[in-house]
Amino acid sequence: MSNSPIKKVLIIGSNGMFGQRLTYHFLSNSLFQVFCTSNEDVSFIENVKYKQVDITNKDDITSLICNYSPDYIINTAAYTNVDKSEIEKELAWKINVTGVKYIANAAKEINAFVIHISSDCVFDGVNGPYTENDKTNPIGYYGLTKLEGENILHSVEVKHTIIRTNVLYGPAKFGRPDFVKWVYNKLKNNESINIVTDQINNPTYIDDIVKAINKIIDLNIEGLFNIGGNEFLNRFDFTLRIADYFNLNKNLINPILTEQLNQIAKRPLSSGLITTKAEETFGYKATNIEETFRLMQKELNL
């Protein structure tokens, strides 16, 4: 890595919900030089150095990394459709495993530090919430590919940090709505929604992960860290909190069980991620749920 005070950061998947927030954050900090890449032809964010790259194309991603020579590579790109992963297995593997291998190998060549986003789906959801030391046991193909992506980083022996997280939400301006915006939009339009009562997580505000990554870079910390919210609650209760805050009709929210959805992929039910290690290592502190809603309301004019 270069010894210059300006750190060069490559954000892979910059057009995604989380990638957008990372891009805005690092663009606003003069200590960072930012280069972005995603699968789309153009960047959703203006005035940023950007190149369209398919991470499953070894030559393209290797060439981009070696030419730009970043100090840090933040990989937020992933095939995240849990149900479709059971059908489009080859594509899910290409993006979540093979793509990670290409990134890791290129990063090792130039001595770059990789920060990689993983998921609570590496666990089976039987005895959550989980610490970083708990035994992994994915019950779906998506979780399997995310675990294999983690294993690739270990096996390549590139400098890296893995962040496991769950149920991301926040004020991203572009792309499909996150869970909070989806609930808000549905209830605002007086549409009823079916929400499960038997899936427990600690929903994660995306700007909290952005701050965690900044800390990891500042302190040059390697390792595996859970990043999540400070409350463990089922999806139905989380939805009620959204409705309460935005003064929406709670009678439109119907409680159901996960099995009633007849989804292709199994879901971890008792999940969530304990963040004690991140709190003790670099002072991670999650934003309170109601405060995250206030921040979203302000930024997105909800």
Side-chain angles (χ1 to χ4, degrees):
M1 279 190 279
S2 67
N3 293 317
S4 67
I6 302 292
K7 297 183 175 94
K8 293 170 75 175
V9 175
L10 172 65
I11 299 171
I12 299 175
S14 60
N15 278 347
M17 176 177 71
F18 179 44
Q20 290 173 45
R21 299 305 288 181
L22 278 169
T23 302
Y24 280 124
H25 175 81
F26 286 110
L27 277 177
S28 69
N29 189 327
S30 59
L31 294 177
F32 293 95
Q33 181 182 317
V34 183
F35 195 101
C36 293
T37 180
S38 253
N39 206 26
E40 291 80 16
D41 292 336
V42 294
S43 172
F44 292 168
I45 296 167
E46 294 178 351
N47 304 317
V48 66
K49 290 180 184 172
Y50 179 86
K51 184 172 180 163
Q52 186 277 331
V53 169
D54 174 2
I55 65 167
T56 69
N57 184 313
K58 183 181 180 182
D59 292 342
D60 282 3
I61 194 67
T62 303
S63 152
L64 174 73
I65 289 171
C66 292
N67 289 337
Y68 180 59
S69 195
D71 298 306
Y72 294 89
I73 298 168
I74 307 172
N75 180 36
T76 74
Y79 185 103
T80 57
N81 190 310
V82 177
D83 287 321
K84 273 193 175 177
S85 294
E86 301 294 331
I87 302 161
E88 299 181 344
K89 289 187 172 179
E90 189 179 345
L91 182 59
W93 186 272
K94 268 184 173 176
I95 295 169
N96 294 347
V97 184
T98 310
V100 174
K101 181 170 75 174
Y102 295 156
I103 292 166
N105 284 333
K108 191 176 182 184
E109 267 187 56
I110 60 162
N111 199 28
F113 189 126
V114 177
I115 298 170
H116 178 70
I117 308 301
S118 190
S119 165
D120 68 320
C121 286
V122 299
F123 298 110
D124 54 22
V126 174
N127 291 308
Y130 297 97
T131 70
E132 292 83 353
N133 296 325
D134 285 322
K135 189 176 185 301
T136 53
N137 183 34
I139 54 174
Y141 197 75
Y142 168 70
L144 176 68
T145 63
K146 292 305 287 183
L147 182 59
E148 283 304 308
E150 292 184 10
N151 292 337
I152 289 284
L153 287 164
H154 299 318
S155 65
V156 171
E157 296 182 342
V158 62
K159 280 183 284 194
H160 69 274
T161 293
I162 293 165
I163 291 175
R164 288 180 183 154
T165 189
N166 65 155
V167 193
L168 302 188
Y169 70 99
K173 290 191 170 81
F174 308 103
R176 61 188 170 85
D178 61 25
F179 184 74
V180 172
K181 277 177 284 184
W182 177 80
V183 168
Y184 175 88
N185 291 338
K186 288 285 188 184
L187 298 183
K188 193 83 176 166
N189 291 327
N190 284 316
E191 295 178 48
S192 66
I193 51 176
N194 297 326
I195 305 292
V196 294
T197 58
D198 55 348
Q199 287 185 33
I200 298 168
N201 293 87
N202 51 328
T204 312
Y205 188 56
I206 48 178
D207 287 6
D208 286 345
I209 320 178
V210 172
K211 288 174 192 165
I213 287 175
N214 202 339
K215 270 287 180 76
I216 286 163
I217 289 175
D218 282 348
L219 301 171
N220 220 36
I221 295 169
E222 292 183 64
L224 168 64
F225 295 96
N226 290 339
I227 297 293
N230 56 9
E231 287 190 62
F232 295 89
L233 66 172
N234 69 50
R235 197 66 66 93
F236 181 76
D237 287 339
F238 185 48
T239 305
L240 293 179
R241 295 280 282 276
I242 298 166
D244 276 335
Y245 182 86
F246 291 102
N247 199 24
L248 299 165
N249 185 357
K250 289 190 285 191
N251 294 325
L252 294 169
I253 308 166
N254 306 313
I256 62 165
L257 295 174
T258 298
E259 63 183 23
Q260 291 174 257
L261 293 171
N262 293 315
Q263 292 164 311
I264 298 166
K266 284 184 178 177
R267 298 313 200 262
L269 298 181
S270 177
S271 193
L273 297 165
I274 295 167
T275 59
T276 308
K277 183 181 175 186
E279 291 161 24
E280 292 176 350
T281 307
F282 54 85
Y284 172 71
K285 190 174 189 301
T287 308
N288 289 330
I289 286 178
E290 273 70 25
E291 174 64 7
T292 67
F293 295 159
R294 188 190 71 77
L295 292 166
M296 288 182 71
Q297 184 177 38
K298 183 182 176 186
E299 192 157 340
L300 299 174
N301 297 315
L302 299 177

